[in-house]
Amino acid sequence: MNLVKTKTLVAGVILGALLVSSNFANAVQPKLKITDITMPSATEENQLATKRAATRLTQSHYRKFQLDDAFSEKIFDRYIKSLDYSRNTFLQSDIDELRTKYGTVLDDQLNQGDLSAAFAIYELMTKRRYERYVYALSLLDREPDLKGQEQIEIDREKAAFPKTQQEIDKLWEQRVKNDVISLKLKDKKWSEIKAKLTKRYNLAIRRLTQTKADDVLQTYLNAFAREIDPHTSYLAPRTAKSFNESMNLSLEGIGATLQSEDDETTIKSLVPGAPADKSKKLQAGDKIVGVGQAKGEIEDVVGWRLEDIVDKIKGRKGTKVRLEIEPAKGGKTRIVTLVRDRIRIEDQAAKLTVDKVEGKNIGVIKIPSFYIGLTEDVKKLLVQMNKKKVEGLIVDLRENGGGALTEAVGLSGLFITDGPIVQVRDAYQRIRIHEDDDSAQQYKGPLVVMINRYSASASEIFAAAIQDYNRGVIVGQNTFGKGTVQQSRTLNFVYDLDQTPLGLLQYTIQKFYRINGGSTQLKGVAADIKFPEIIDAKEYGEEKEDNALPWDKIPASNYSEVGNAREAVSVMTEKHLARIAKDPEFIALNEELKIRDERRERKFLSLNYAKRKLENDQDDARRLKDINERFKREGKKALKDIDDLPKDYEAPDFFLKEAEKMTVDLVLFEQNKVNQSKPQTQTAQ
C-alpha cells in the first residue's frame, strides 16, 4: 500500500460520514475537514526498528514462542484492542475485512520490517474515529432526552463489535448522553454543556491530525510485545528519553510539572530551586499558551499534545526558553524568559519524616520508585534518622511500581548483614542468586514495611526478602504479583554510527523468586497484617492479565532468618483490629468499600438524569458528612456544601497513621522481650 497517497484515500472513504451528518439541518459541524487529516508514512527508521525488535524478541525473550500465523492472529487482536478498546469505533464488517487481509501476515511483515498493515489499520481507525466524532457533534444540535430508561454499558472490552451503522450510532448517542449527564451533574447549563462538548469533540478530531509515524509504530509494536507478556514493550525515541530521565531522576529544563485538560496546558507544580520556581514569575495554575526559543517567534501551542509542548520547553542547560503565560488569576498574557538548568526530580526521590507517636520517635521513609541511586539516598536518610534517635522505622512502598533490580538488592542489604536477596531464572533454566555481599547493616531496629496492590516488581523483591528473613513486619494489601525481570536495550547497534535513534525495547529475560523458592508472579507478597483493600484486587493485579506468565517455584536459597519480627504479629494484629474498629476514618472507609463492591457488579449505568443525580447527591451527602465529622475532630469549621471543599484538599493518610501506631506496638513488644530476657535478682529479706 502506498502510504504517501493516504490523504486522498482517507478523504474518499470518509464521504459517507459527511453525508450522514448532512441529514441534520442544524447539526454542529466539525472545525476540521477530513482533508485536514494526513496520515504519516512509515519511515526507514520505523522499518529498521521493526525488523530489529522482531529479531530481538524471538531470540532473547524469556518466553519461547513461534512468530507464526497463529501468533499473528493474536497480535492482530491486541492491536485492534489497543485502537478500539471499548469497541465503539470499528464495525464488525471492518474487523472481518481487516482480519481477512492482515490477520495471518503480520508475522511475515514484522520479520521484514513491513509496516503497511499496521499503518493501513491505523488509517482506517482514524477514518472511523473522525466519523464517530462528526456524528457526536451532530447530536449537539439539541438537548438530549434524559428521562427514559436507557443505559450505557460500563465495560465494553469484551462486547461484540457493532454490526450496523444504527448500532454504532446508538453507542455514540449513549456516550454523548453520558457526557452530558457528567457535566449536568456539575451544575452546567445546556448552553455551557453544548459549548464544552463541541470544544471537546473538535479537539479530539484535531488530535487525529497530530499523529506521527512513531505513534503508530509504538502502538503496533506494543501490540506485538505485549502479546508475548504484559511487561514487554517498545518505547519510541521520545518515550525512551523520558523513561531514562525518570529512572535517573533528572532532566534539563525549567523544573515545572505540566498537565493537560482539553486544549489547555497548565502548570501543576514547580520544582523547588529550579528555574521556574526561582523566577518568581510563575505559579501553579498558570496556563502556557505559547512557547519560543531564545530567538524567533513564539508558537501558539493551544491544542497541542502535552508531549510536544514538553519537548519544546526542555533543552540543554544554559539555553533560554520563552513562555507565553496566561495567569491563573486572569489578566493579559505575558512573556516569561527562563534559562534552562539541570533538574533533579526530587518529588520522586526517597524522603524521610519523623513523627512523635505515643511518646516514640517513628521514622517513615517513603520510596516512590526504585530509581538509580536509591540505595545511597536511603543510606543517607538512615544516618539522619539515627541522629534523630528514631526507635522504629516504616518503609512505605505503597504505589511503588518497581524499578531497578540492583537497587532492590542494595536496599534490602541495608537491613540485613549479608546473604541472598532474590533468585532469578533465565530462559535456559539457569538460576542466579543476587546477594548482599557486605556485612554492614545500616539499620537494626524495629521495621515495618507498607505495601498495597500497586506495589510491584522491585517493591515485591524487597518486601519478600524482609519477610523471608523475618526482619520486619509487612502490613497493607497483597501486592501486584509481578515476578518478572525486564531489561532495556536500545535498538541501535554500536556500528550504526550516525543512525537516528530507533527507540528502546524492554523485554522479559528472567523470572525472580523469593529466597524461600516461591515466585511472586501472580501471587505477589501477602501482608502479615492486612489493611482494608482500598485498591480493588479484583480490578488490578497481574492475575488480570490474559497472558501473564505462570506461578511456579524453585529450590530455596541457603539462608537463615536474621530476626524474629513475626513473633509480634499476633499481638500487633489484635491491637490493630481493636483500634480500627473504633476509628471513624476506617469505619467510614468500610462503608465506602461496601458500596464500591456492590457497584462493581454493575454492567450498565443509567442514562436517566434524575436517577444519576439522586445517586450522586447521596454520594455527596455521605462524603460531606464524613468530611465534616473529620473537620470536627480536627477543630475545623464545617462545610455547608461538598463543592466548598478546596480543590487541592488532601485527606489525611490514616493508613500511615495506623501503621505508625502499629510500629509503636512493635517497638514496645521488642522492648518487653528484651526486658524479660534480662536476669532477675532478688534481695534477701
Side-chain angles (χ1 to χ4, degrees), residues 303-471:
W304 280 29
R305 299 193 313 178
L306 184 62
E307 299 94 327
D308 293 333
I309 297 174
V310 170
D311 279 352
K312 284 285 182 184
I313 295 175
K314 289 194 301 187
R316 294 195 316 276
K317 177 181 177 179
T319 59
K320 292 182 180 180
V321 62
R322 292 176 296 152
L323 306 179
E324 184 176 358
I325 299 297
E326 186 178 300
K329 297 180 180 179
K332 294 182 179 180
T333 63
R334 63 175 186 271
I335 306 299
V336 176
T337 301
L338 301 172
V339 179
R340 299 178 176 105
D341 200 355
R342 190 78 175 167
I343 312 298
R344 184 168 172 80
I345 313 172
E346 298 295 346
D347 284 348
Q348 290 301 310
K351 287 186 176 62
L352 168 69
T353 56
V354 178
D355 293 323
K356 180 76 76 174
V357 183
E358 298 178 10
K360 304 292 184 183
N361 288 331
I362 302 299
V364 180
I365 295 180
K366 174 65 177 175
I367 302 177
S369 70
F370 282 76
Y371 57 88
I372 304 300
L374 168 67
T375 303
E376 287 304 312
D377 283 356
V378 172
K379 191 182 293 186
K380 294 173 184 176
L381 295 179
L382 291 174
V383 171
Q384 295 177 25
M385 194 180 75
N386 289 333
K387 292 179 180 178
K388 295 180 180 181
K389 297 182 179 179
V390 165
E391 297 169 82
L393 171 65
I394 297 171
V395 174
D396 188 352
L397 298 179
R398 291 174 298 168
E399 282 80 45
N400 185 323
L405 174 64
T406 52
E407 294 296 340
V409 174
L411 184 72
S412 302
L414 299 179
F415 299 94
I416 65 170
T417 50
D418 55 12
I421 301 298
V422 64
Q423 304 183 85
V424 295
R425 182 170 67 179
D426 66 19
Y428 304 99
Q429 307 305 306
R430 296 174 298 194
I431 297 173
R432 178 186 173 191
I433 300 175
H434 291 265
E435 300 195 30
D436 169 40
D437 52 11
D438 68 65
S439 58
Q441 186 176 2
Q442 300 296 321
Y443 175 72
K444 301 178 181 180
L447 175 65
V448 167
V449 179
M450 290 189 76
I451 56 174
N452 66 9
R453 194 63 169 171
Y454 293 145
S455 304
S457 194
S459 290
E460 294 174 292
I461 291 174
F462 176 82
I466 296 300
Q467 194 172 57
D468 289 344
Y469 274 110
N470 205 357
R471 175 63 187 85

Side-chain angles (χ1 to χ4, degrees), residues 54 57-59 61-75 104 106-108 110-111 224 227-228:
L57 292 176
T58 51
Q59 292 180 355
H61 197 279
Y62 180 88
R63 176 188 170 192
K64 297 306 177 186
F65 67 98
Q66 290 295 320
L67 185 53
D68 53 16
D69 286 359
F71 204 84
S72 175
E73 290 267 15
K74 294 179 180 179
I75 297 171
T104 58
L106 301 184
D107 53 328
D108 298 323
L110 283 164
N111 285 322
F224 169 34
E227 184 55 43
I228 308 170

